[in-house]
Amino acid sequence: MSNKNFIQVFEYQKLRLGDVKFPDFEERHFDALTKYNEKNQSKYYTVIHKGVQFNSYVGVIQIGGLTIEILPKADNDNSNSEEQKKKWQGVLLNMLRICKNITVDNVSETNLSKRYNSILEVYFEMYLNEVESLIKRGLIKKYRRVQSNQLALRGKLLFSQNIQKNIVHKEYFYCEHQIYDKEHLLHHILLKGLKVLDSLVSNHLKDKLNRLLFEFYDYKEININAKHFDKINLDRKSLPYHKAVDIAKMLILNYSPNLNSGNDNMLTLLFDMNKLWEEYIYRILHKHKPDGYSVNFQNKTGFWEHKTIRPDIVITSDIKEIFVIDTKWKIVDSRSPSDDDLKQMFTYNLHWEAEKSMLLYPKVNQEDSKFGVYHFDGLKKKCKLGFVGVLENNCLRSSERTADEIYSKLKVDKLLLVL
């Protein structure tokens, strides 16, 4: 992908028309972003005067030939240098990999970001590789029901349609019957995913895409929507299609053709950093948990009437120690939490009978607070602010080191913790 059609910004940054830093951002791109924003109730960014301001959603927006990549950022470096962008792109790619949003088995944590110019290219290549693997394995056949005119009665005769269609040609029978072939919903979805990529992939993937499209040249193309994915029920025979169908779903449902009057088709792949940070912390704590501990994610339980309560992470030991963690992807300077956060954590402590809870933030240069004690009816419930580093040696920190640090912040029993 050429830098000419590639813009990288950080979360909460503004992108304006006429900005010398972004000469490729044109009015047609702004119009497309505005229409997409209206369609999604301003969920992913805010439209400002002659531009947009991004929020906590990161990822990629591709409009026609222009790619806008929104990166996370948790440091005090405001240089917006290429080195900084590369570093945080690597952080995002690795977080997505750990959270299973990217499944690249042969790519390590350290070199994942070096292979791709854009996050979208990761998904494009993953999809093409999955479809190619299915073709090499051999596309499966399935039964499907069809209605057609036949010279011999086959399956079930459809009386009313037969009268309408064969009033002159009495030799035909209009029947509904089964066919066992490769043209079924799974392959219609794969084809639609390839068609979406046809106008989006860069030159180095174009040849591979064309080779795969040739394999589906005689398949009927249908409009795929969310309801089609609801019909899919993978069995033992079709289970290898799982990854390809998941990526196809992401591509197809996030693709918006012809938002403008021109050919500026739009593909969005956006992630809420608050949710991504929450899931990332859960996965590394679960993977590197000490012996005798269990880690649970978003345990939802009844709270009041039809309302529920759901902490991010609950850690429980065999000796009934309980810890609650609530993750926050934002930079805070003060070591004094807000009243609302304190009340929320106290509710978690009380409801889950946890002695300790922690609000966990990405670390820039802050230090943890001490455990503060709640004054409530003699109960010794404690809460603190914890800060954990995201980076180490200019890339995402080792998940094991991060997990061990978080456990130590909760003062997990060192006899059980394996460092």
Side-chain angles (χ1 to χ4, degrees), residues 302-308:
F303 180 59
W304 180 83
E305 293 293 335
H306 300 297
K307 294 184 179 294
T308 59

Side-chain angles (χ1 to χ4, degrees), residues 345-388:
M345 298 309 289
F346 176 72
T347 304
Y348 291 158
N349 283 36
L350 202 62
H351 203 78
W352 266 267
E353 299 181 354
E355 180 188 352
K356 295 177 182 176
S357 61
M358 179 168 64
L359 291 156
L360 188 65
Y361 300 88
K363 183 174 182 176
V364 178
N365 50 23
Q366 314 95 321
E367 297 296 331
D368 290 7
S369 70
K370 295 179 180 179
F371 273 108
V373 179
Y374 289 107
H375 301 288
F376 183 80
D377 199 24
L379 295 173
K380 291 186 177 179
K381 305 290 184 183
K382 302 176 182 178
C383 181
K384 70 180 288 187
L385 270 69
F387 301 92
V388 62

Side-chain angles (χ1 to χ4, degrees), residues 112-309:
L112 178 59
S113 63
K114 297 178 183 178
R115 295 188 54 193
Y116 304 97
N117 292 318
S118 162
I119 294 168
L120 269 183
E121 286 192 350
V122 181
Y123 284 89
F124 293 168
E125 188 165 333
M126 282 169 53
Y127 184 61
L128 296 179
N129 288 342
E130 286 296 325
V131 175
E132 184 179 50
S133 174
L134 292 171
I135 290 172
K136 288 180 179 178
R137 181 194 293 260
L139 297 177
I140 63 172
K141 294 182 178 181
K142 293 175 77 75
Y143 285 104
R144 61 187 177 98
R145 303 191 73 84
V146 297
Q147 296 179 0
S148 63
N149 262 326
Q150 300 288 323
L151 286 171
L153 184 60
R154 188 177 173 191
K156 181 175 68 174
L157 180 66
L158 302 175
F159 289 99
S160 59
Q161 291 95 322
N162 187 61
I163 293 171
Q164 292 173 9
K165 294 179 180 292
N166 298 324
I167 192 167
V168 175
H169 298 281
K170 303 293 185 181
E171 71 276 16
Y172 283 102
F173 299 90
Y174 196 79
C175 311
E176 181 178 85
H177 56 96
Q178 285 189 329
I179 292 179
Y180 186 64
D181 65 4
K182 295 179 181 179
E183 189 163 341
H184 47 77
L185 180 58
L186 286 175
H187 294 154
H188 288 150
I189 287 172
L190 297 186
L191 174 58
K192 184 63 176 179
L194 293 173
K195 287 288 188 178
V196 167
L197 294 191
D198 197 23
S199 62
L200 299 174
V201 297
S202 53
N203 290 334
H204 82 280
L205 293 175
K206 198 71 174 179
D207 287 344
K208 189 173 190 176
L209 172 63
N210 288 335
R211 290 198 304 271
L212 296 177
L213 280 170
F214 180 76
E215 299 289 336
F216 295 88
Y217 76 95
D218 57 346
Y219 284 57
K220 181 182 177 183
E221 187 177 354
I222 65 173
N223 289 324
I224 301 293
N225 55 44
K227 292 181 180 179
H228 289 99
F229 291 98
D230 293 338
K231 296 177 184 177
I232 293 175
N233 185 18
L234 298 178
D235 53 22
R236 180 183 59 82
K237 187 178 177 182
S238 57
L239 193 60
Y241 283 69
H242 175 68
K243 286 183 182 179
V245 170
D246 277 354
I247 303 172
K249 181 178 181 180
M250 180 273 294
L251 294 173
I252 294 167
L253 298 187
N254 288 286
Y255 180 67
S256 303
N258 298 321
L259 279 173
N260 287 333
S261 57
N263 294 318
D264 286 329
N265 300 326
M266 188 168 179
L267 178 66
T268 58
L269 179 63
L270 298 168
F271 306 90
D272 187 341
M273 267 309 296
N274 290 298
K275 292 181 179 178
L276 189 60
W277 174 243
E278 175 185 318
E279 184 178 351
Y280 170 73
I281 295 298
Y282 159 70
R283 286 187 180 273
I284 65 173
L285 289 178
H286 185 269
K287 181 179 180 180
H288 303 291
K289 64 180 182 290
D291 294 337
Y293 282 83
S294 63
V295 183
N296 296 295
F297 186 49
Q298 294 187 341
N299 283 358
K300 184 169 69 174
T301 186
F303 180 59
W304 180 83
E305 293 293 335
H306 300 297
K307 294 184 179 294
T308 59
I309 185 172

